[in-house]
Amino acid sequence: MKKIVSLGFIALTILFSACSSDDNDDKGIENNNSVTAVVNGAEWKPTKINSVTLIKIPGMGQRFDINIQDDSQMFMLACENETTTANAMPLKDYNFYDDNENTDEDESLASNALFINSYLIDGNTYTEHQPVSGKITITAMDPDKKTVSGTFSFKTVKVGVLQSKVVTPEVIEVKNGVFTNLSYTVYAQ
């Protein structure tokens, strides 16, 4: 069941990231926003913030997505929670746990976050890695100004090869991720 939910989560994340606007290419500079991380030991900073959205579906919950990229790689960070009355997520940790690591049904932990890294090659997007662990912490979220800040880290492992132009690493480890004052949009049904 968790795999089905995760696949649905991936599909929705890709759908909403594909619908993002190019209007906010320089949004981070204009609004004093920033995102930084260390990817496999190297400093990383996106060149584009594709989308930052809070999606609210009454009776089903709400999901928060951040989609960022540089010239060769795109990161999609997402977390979910029960629907709140405010246009914000609760300030807390959201975690991804690999189902394979939890074999005892009674001891398995429910994931409420998802992390996807994709490669941008010749105008196409390739996702060759699957998340195994990760955490996103929302430390500040202002529903009036619609800004959010927090931290993130995650690890993904290669599960296949979808292209032959770039050799991707077996493991992607993102550490010390920080997002500050990102402006977000609320979509409600």
Side-chain angles (χ1 to χ4, degrees):
M1 179 67 180
K2 288 181 186 177
K3 294 279 185 193
I4 293 170
V5 171
S6 292
L7 290 175
F9 205 23
I10 290 170
L12 286 173
T13 301
I14 292 169
L15 172 69
F16 280 102
S17 68
C19 296
S20 66
S21 169
D22 289 336
D23 294 342
N24 54 357
D25 283 351
D26 297 321
K27 202 176 202 180
I29 296 168
E30 292 173 14
N31 296 330
N32 202 21
N33 301 354
S34 67
V35 180
T36 59
V38 175
V39 180
N40 285 357
E43 294 290 327
W44 186 84
K45 184 173 171 95
T47 56
K48 184 175 181 182
I49 300 170
N50 294 327
S51 64
V52 183
T53 56
L54 175 64
I55 304 159
K56 298 177 71 111
I57 303 173
M60 295 191 68
Q62 61 189 30
R63 194 180 83 224
F64 182 70
D65 297 342
I66 298 174
N67 184 319
I68 51 180
Q69 73 178 63
D70 65 8
D71 293 335
S72 63
Q73 206 166 191
M74 179 171 24
F75 294 138
M76 292 170 272
L77 319 171
C79 57
E80 64 182 358
N81 196 71
E82 294 177 10
T83 305
T84 64
T85 55
N87 283 330
M89 295 291 284
L91 305 182
K92 67 177 193 174
D93 294 341
Y94 299 87
N95 295 285
F96 179 84
Y97 304 103
D98 187 2
D99 287 341
N100 296 329
E101 292 178 4
N102 299 312
T103 56
D104 184 358
E105 189 70 31
D106 295 334
E107 293 181 20
S108 68
L109 300 170
S111 292
N112 58 1
L114 183 64
F115 305 89
I116 300 173
N117 65 290
S118 300
Y119 289 89
L120 307 170
I121 303 168
D122 295 334
N124 295 308
T125 304
Y126 299 94
T127 304
E128 298 181 341
H129 293 75
Q130 179 176 334
V132 292
S133 63
K135 178 167 77 170
I136 183 170
T137 302
I138 297 180
T139 58
M141 195 161 194
D142 186 330
D144 296 324
K145 293 180 181 177
K146 299 217 177 12
T147 58
V148 63
S149 298
T151 62
F152 64 95
S153 61
F154 65 91
K155 181 178 179 180
T156 62
V157 295
K158 193 175 210 172
V159 292
V161 176
L162 299 174
Q163 50 77 41
S164 59
K165 191 158 190 170
V166 175
V167 177
T168 59
E170 291 298 315
V171 175
I172 301 289
E173 192 160 13
V174 177
K175 296 180 177 182
N176 304 324
V178 177
F179 53 95
T180 306
N181 294 325
L182 297 183
S183 297
Y184 66 92
T185 303
V186 177
Y187 294 103
Q189 289 189 344

